Amino acid sequence: MTYVHERQTAERLALEAGRLLLKHRAAGLTVEYKTSKDDPVTLADTEASELIVAGLNAEFPEDGILSEELTDTAKRLFKRRVWIIDPIDGTKEFTQSSPDFAVSIGLAVDGEPVLGVVNAPAHEAVYVGVVGEGVTKNGESIGFSTRPPEKALISVSDTEFKRELHQYPLANVKPSGSIALKLALIAAGEADATFTMSPRSEWDIAAGMALIAAAGGSVTRRGGGKIVLNSPNPNIRQGLIGGRPDAVAWLEAELFRLAVPEQQLGLTERDETWSLLSESEQARLRGQPHLHIRHAAGRVVALIVLEEGPNGMKVVRAEGDAAHLGVLTRDLTRAYGALS
């Protein structure tokens, strides 16, 4: 399939949503928060989501939809084709007058990314990709850079960089906001690879995954695990890595060499990182429904076990380095709200 109608529709809706966002920002924003100060939301998020969802429903009424700002239901799980939307990827940057936010619209078929549109309205840049057809920026064909892997530009989260990543001597790092925009920039050759220390959700990356795949690369879990879109739980639970294949291979080795950590939320026996626990820890923790770890270079550096209480989630066990525990707690607060 060429997905001509899908591409045209997604691009049109991304442009309309981008204009709506700029209008809201010019008029002034009222910012609220979902679970923490790291998780802002505005009326613009809701209105942009409604605009995109209404447009997709009108054109493709049989498709499923997953949007960050839309109440999720199991209905989408029975659809082969699912649109995965983030009306504002980089809401914090949007509220802080940074240009590094984007409208992200992706289409997954049978769990695979096939089409992505990322509109960065403050940069006046629209990236469109269809797997098997390539990528364009503002209508012009683009592609990966040819920089040697050891000279690769690594686009990273500005939040993670300020919080702790600046402490690691990783070369050629370029901090910025929206991960959807990072992936678009990589597809355009303006960077080469990206990774996260904290988990992301499908709506953050679906469109960017399609752009990277259309350019000839991939986005996976750190360590190379496959990401299947339209999963029952759209929260991916661990760090990500993606971009140009040779740059990603080089970056993965560097992250291990430098012991750059990542989180694994909701650890289970089925996860590859379960093997990082000792046999005695595995026996003690097996079956825990809310086990969360932070690990680096093959070693667990922080571990938190939660349980459900009458007033929300509470910590029943916390072990590890204080700094690593602080970061892990921050991610869990964003996922669950205040912990007791």
Side-chain angles (χ1 to χ4, degrees):
M1 289 187 65
T2 59
Y3 299 102
V4 173
H5 183 44
E6 289 87 346
R7 176 180 56 76
Q8 292 173 342
T9 300
E11 186 172 3
R12 170 176 60 81
L13 293 172
L15 286 166
E16 290 177 7
R19 288 191 288 269
L20 174 67
L21 299 185
L22 293 180
K23 181 179 178 181
H24 267 283
R25 193 154 79 161
L29 299 169
T30 299
V31 182
E32 298 179 354
Y33 299 92
K34 297 177 183 178
T35 58
S36 71
K37 291 291 184 180
D38 289 327
D39 199 10
V41 66
T42 71
L43 179 61
D45 293 80
T46 304
E47 290 191 0
S49 179
E50 290 172 348
L51 183 157
I52 295 167
V53 170
L56 292 174
N57 278 332
E59 298 293 334
F60 311 106
E62 299 303 315
D63 290 355
I65 292 180
L66 172 64
S67 172
E68 182 177 15
E69 307 305 330
L70 187 69
T71 301
D72 192 18
T73 70
K75 183 179 178 181
R76 64 179 172 82
L77 300 177
F78 302 95
K79 304 287 187 177
R80 290 191 63 228
R81 292 171 34 122
V82 178
W83 294 91
I84 304 176
I85 303 157
D86 194 343
I88 312 179
D89 184 54
T91 300
K92 184 168 72 172
E93 286 73 20
F94 176 68
T95 63
Q96 295 175 346
S97 300
S98 164
D100 291 335
F101 64 93
V103 179
S104 177
I105 304 175
L107 175 62
V109 178
D110 296 330
E112 298 286 342
V114 299
L115 180 153
V117 176
V118 172
N119 176 23
H123 286 288
E124 298 184 344
V126 182
Y127 304 84
V128 181
V130 177
V131 176
E133 298 183 20
V135 185
T136 63
K137 175 184 177 182
N138 294 341
E140 299 290 330
S141 293
I142 53 176
F144 288 146
S145 84
T146 57
R147 281 180 286 269
E150 65 276 10
K151 300 292 185 182
L153 294 180
I154 310 303
S155 188
V156 301
S157 160
D158 52 2
T159 299
E160 292 182 352
F161 184 80
K162 291 172 185 175
R163 185 170 64 188
E164 60 177 325
L165 186 54
H166 66 276
Q167 302 169 17
Y168 296 87
L170 184 63
N172 303 319
V173 167
K174 184 179 180 182
S176 63
S178 159
I179 190 169
L181 182 53
K182 290 182 184 69
L183 294 170
L185 292 173
I186 292 166
E190 297 174 48
D192 299 296
T194 188
F195 73 97
T196 71
M197 303 166 79
S198 299
R200 297 294 186 270
S201 299
E202 290 186 22
W203 47 74
D204 298 318
I205 62 168
M209 284 181 71
L211 290 174
I212 295 294
S218 64
V219 179
T220 67
R221 304 169 190 274
R222 278 179 59 180
K226 183 179 176 61
I227 297 170
V228 178
L229 297 174
N230 193 35
S231 295
N233 180 357
N235 300 305
I236 296 165
R237 300 191 296 118
Q238 69 181 103
L240 312 173
I241 190 165
R244 205 182 77 209
D246 59 341
V248 167
W250 174 86
L251 176 59
E252 190 78 78
E254 280 294 282
L255 296 178
F256 189 89
R257 182 181 71 84
L258 297 173
V260 177
E262 68 164 312
Q263 277 72 275
Q264 169 80 61
L265 304 187
L267 181 67
T268 72
E269 294 176 69
R270 296 184 301 276
D271 293 312
E272 191 174 306
T273 45
W274 177 259
S275 64
L276 299 181
L277 301 173
S278 68
E279 289 187 6
S280 60
E281 287 176 320
Q282 290 178 11
R284 187 168 63 249
L285 295 169
R286 186 171 286 112
Q288 284 285 353
H290 301 290
L291 169 61
H292 315 280
I293 67 169
R294 193 163 211 246
H295 61 94
R299 184 174 67 90
V300 175
V301 295
L303 180 152
I304 292 177
V305 178
L306 303 179
E307 70 176 28
E308 297 183 33
N311 299 312
M313 303 299 289
K314 65 177 182 178
V315 178
V316 295
R317 181 179 171 189
E319 299 175 1
D321 174 84
H324 289 302
L325 278 172
V327 176
L328 183 54
T329 299
R330 184 172 177 171
D331 272 6
L332 291 173
T333 300
R334 180 165 183 171
Y336 295 106
L339 306 177
S340 59

